[in-house]
Amino acid sequence: MEENRGQKLTMLASDEEAEQIKTHAAGAKMGISEYLRSKVFGTPQGEAQGDLESQLRKLSERVDRLEKSGAPPKETRTCADPEHARIYGVGHCFDCDIPMKSAH
Ligand SMILES: [Zn+2]
């Protein structure tokens, strides 16, 4: 029994249109067929969107954990790295982007 492989469609595009399609497809990290299909039928639910949602969920969980762990906010931390103190002295550590631990 012969497998139904669908139909091959071709289109005539101007050089400018063709370049635009290629650029957009490359920007979306898609093949040209895949890109055009997504334009007509919409982005497949799943992969791209699902991945983004799961990343967002993970990030939000991480922020929650950080807040609950009571990590001090950036402003109250100071740099105690002696190497940084040697470079920047007292004041601001530009490596860590926090104030230097004042030398007492
Ligand atoms: Zn530092």
Side-chain angles (χ1 to χ4, degrees), residues 29-50:
K29 291 189 165 60
M30 288 179 181
I32 287 167
S33 297
E34 191 187 356
Y35 174 73
L36 292 175
R37 195 175 287 123
S38 81
K39 279 289 160 192
V40 176
F41 300 113
T43 312
Q45 295 292 327
E47 287 178 47
Q49 196 178 341

Side-chain angles (χ1 to χ4, degrees), residues 78-85 88 92-100:
T78 53
C79 176
D81 190 320
E83 188 67 19
H84 293 174
Y88 302 112
H92 193 82
C93 176
F94 292 95
D95 270 0
C96 309
D97 196 27
I98 50 174
M100 294 299 308

Side-chain angles (χ1 to χ4, degrees), residues 9-85:
L9 300 176
T10 54
M11 72 175 274
L12 190 63
S14 69
D15 287 345
E16 195 186 333
E17 287 170 340
E19 281 314 308
Q20 277 190 33
I21 291 169
K22 284 180 201 167
T23 305
H24 283 285
K29 291 189 165 60
M30 288 179 181
I32 287 167
S33 297
E34 191 187 356
Y35 174 73
L36 292 175
R37 195 175 287 123
S38 81
K39 279 289 160 192
V40 176
F41 300 113
T43 312
Q45 295 292 327
E47 287 178 47
Q49 196 178 341
D51 193 47
L52 194 64
E53 277 170 10
S54 87
Q55 283 181 20
L56 201 61
R57 196 159 37 239
K58 275 182 204 154
L59 190 65
S60 145
E61 281 166 10
R62 200 175 299 168
V63 170
D64 270 3
R65 247 199 321 275
L66 252 172
E67 282 174 350
K68 281 171 192 151
S69 76
K74 198 177 177 185
E75 292 72 28
T76 66
R77 292 186 301 130
T78 53
C79 176
D81 190 320
E83 188 67 19
H84 293 174

